[in-house]
Amino acid sequence: MNIRIAFASLLAASALATSVSAQTLNVVTAGDTNMVDYINDYLGPKFEESHPGVTVRAVGTGPGDGGSQAIFEKINAQKDKDVWDVDVAVVHQRMAGQMVQDGLLANYRDGLTTAKLVTRETAENALGVNVSGYVMPMFHSQIAIAYNPDVIATPPQSYEELAKWVKENPGKFGYNGITGGMAGVGFVFGWMYAFSDMADEIRNGPWVDGAADKWAPALASLRDFNQSVVMTPGNAGTLDAMNRGEIAMGPVWMDMFYTWVADGRLNPNLKLMILSPGMPGQPMYYAVPAKAAQADLAKEFIAFATSPAVQAEGIVRRFNWFPGIDPQNVKSELTDAEWNRLFADVAPETLAERGWSMPQAKYFAAILEAYEKNVAK
């Protein structure tokens, strides 16, 4: 759907709702259609039940950073107005940081009843930008290594061990490089964390001119590593290759892995692990625009959406995502079977230790460019 038409439809719906109800909450979300469906079909109706007279309306702007860019452009176009027509924005890390820097978001999180339930660093840092107070994680996705224990009894636990293992077992590891999906991109970022001697700078910034000049050894070793692996066409391609037994190990999104297992599309004997020192994941954020018309209601909505009960039902059960709040705060809302399934292979402690953030924005782009020039030949 054309973004302008989508926003026009949202405003028309809001005007109609205002005539018959006390308040309308306008939620604009980046991401796939499941994000809009989640709010319109589940989260919105549940919030309305506890808030008589309130109507929640959600519209999507599309997947990936492009969807978040559309939200930025919509809000930025209204920056000189007294009141904006977006009450809650659901955005990716990269755009959240820019919106904070440009003064487009409200510093609201400390006033939430669920604020103290958040513990991961992604609630404070978005690709090198301090976003503390401006965002509340909706959920976390995490990249991990899937492997077949029938083939690999003792899998390598670090990038260094993996590099050695791949040389000894050519053709058994597969990934998609930096095209076709973020699982492969995240694997490359993890490689740079492990071998560049710049892990902290890459993750947190600030950007240092000439940084890429120091990456030659890490990139050369990755190019050598790629000579012994199978290059897959994307995230799904890696899982398909594992399911067919063509490879025995590869990087995947953990939520996608669990969903495929639950749907019967993937060998249930496969397992997951996160390599040391760490592999990246990313959250989606709830944010409140600085001049939202329904700012107080937006805060109530976000507190509701990040409550343990809703995180358990909406985030874990429906999507196999990791909660946006600390998982320990959700545990009592899950059955033992549900908890064990979510953390069967990667314990919460391991996730906290090795679940690292994506690179700071400039390093993010520079690593992809360096890969294209030095590895993808």
Side-chain angles (χ1 to χ4, degrees), residues 226-272:
N226 279 1
Q227 306 310 305
S228 300
V229 309
V230 174
M231 302 305 294
T232 67
N235 295 341
T238 300
L239 287 171
D240 280 332
M242 289 201 67
N243 204 43
R244 293 192 297 265
E246 296 171 1
I247 59 174
M249 182 182 291
V252 301
W253 285 107
M254 291 181 68
D255 57 290
M256 186 176 181
F257 175 93
Y258 287 133
T259 298
W260 277 41
V261 171
D263 292 344
R265 301 172 62 187
L266 194 63
N267 179 357
N269 292 330
L270 299 179
K271 292 185 175 296
L272 294 169

Side-chain angles (χ1 to χ4, degrees), residues 8-349:
S9 299
L10 175 63
L11 293 177
S14 299
L16 177 62
T18 301
S19 67
V20 298
S21 65
Q23 291 173 290
T24 296
L25 187 75
N26 294 325
V27 182
V28 184
T29 176
D32 291 325
T33 56
N34 62 358
M35 296 285 286
V36 180
D37 294 341
Y38 172 64
I39 296 168
N40 282 335
D41 298 341
Y42 169 72
L43 191 57
K46 285 189 71 68
F47 184 72
E48 292 167 358
E49 288 176 8
S50 60
H51 291 72
V54 169
T55 301
V56 178
R57 292 285 182 264
V59 65
T61 56
D65 284 337
S68 292
Q69 177 70 30
I71 295 175
F72 166 80
E73 291 173 358
K74 170 62 177 175
I75 294 175
N76 191 54
Q78 303 178 69
K79 63 183 179 181
D80 293 330
K81 295 183 178 181
D82 294 333
V83 179
W84 301 344
D85 57 15
V86 179
D87 300 311
V88 176
V90 184
V91 295
H92 296 83
Q93 281 185 296
R94 185 180 300 185
M95 191 50 64
Q98 182 173 341
M99 293 173 78
V100 168
Q101 290 178 322
D102 290 354
L104 299 179
L105 299 183
N107 191 325
Y108 77 96
R109 192 180 77 215
D110 290 345
L112 297 186
T113 56
T114 54
K116 294 182 179 180
L117 304 183
V118 176
T119 56
R120 288 186 63 164
E121 66 169 330
T122 50
E124 314 300 324
N125 186 302
L127 307 188
V129 177
N130 183 352
V131 294
S132 180
Y134 292 90
V135 300
M136 187 73 175
M138 176 186 184
F139 67 86
H140 281 89
S141 293
Q142 177 63 46
I143 296 168
I145 299 295
Y147 69 96
N148 189 336
D150 295 332
V151 178
I152 310 168
T154 306
Q157 293 294 310
S158 68
Y159 270 92
E160 185 176 359
E161 291 178 8
L162 176 65
K164 180 180 179 181
W165 183 89
V166 163
K167 282 192 174 183
E168 297 171 351
N169 298 272
K172 296 297 184 181
F173 183 93
Y175 82 114
N176 56 288
I178 62 169
T179 60
M182 279 297 297
V185 174
F187 175 80
V188 170
F189 291 153
W191 185 279
M192 297 304 292
Y193 295 157
F195 296 113
S196 69
D197 293 325
M198 293 183 62
D200 289 341
E201 293 90 337
I202 290 173
R203 291 164 58 205
N204 303 312
W207 170 257
V208 176
D209 289 338
D213 296 338
K214 304 176 182 179
W215 298 343
L219 294 169
S221 65
L222 182 54
R223 184 171 61 247
D224 182 58
F225 174 87
N226 279 1
Q227 306 310 305
S228 300
V229 309
V230 174
M231 302 305 294
T232 67
N235 295 341
T238 300
L239 287 171
D240 280 332
M242 289 201 67
N243 204 43
R244 293 192 297 265
E246 296 171 1
I247 59 174
M249 182 182 291
V252 301
W253 285 107
M254 291 181 68
D255 57 290
M256 186 176 181
F257 175 93
Y258 287 133
T259 298
W260 277 41
V261 171
D263 292 344
R265 301 172 62 187
L266 194 63
N267 179 357
N269 292 330
L270 299 179
K271 292 185 175 296
L272 294 169
M273 54 167 286
I274 301 178
L275 293 171
S276 172
M279 301 185 71
Q282 61 182 356
M284 288 291 283
Y285 291 133
Y286 287 117
V288 178
K291 298 180 182 179
Q294 302 287 353
D296 290 338
L297 188 62
K299 295 173 189 177
E300 292 182 39
F301 177 81
I302 295 171
F304 176 80
T306 54
S307 63
V310 172
Q311 289 272 292
E313 174 61 31
I315 298 301
V316 177
R317 292 195 183 104
R318 287 173 176 259
F319 294 105
N320 295 307
W321 290 326
F322 286 106
I325 60 177
D326 191 300
Q328 294 295 340
N329 294 310
V330 182
K331 186 174 184 179
S332 63
E333 301 291 339
L334 300 172
T335 66
D336 289 344
E338 289 170 335
W339 176 264
N340 291 335
R341 182 168 62 249
L342 188 64
F343 295 106
D345 301 322
V346 179
E349 296 79 11

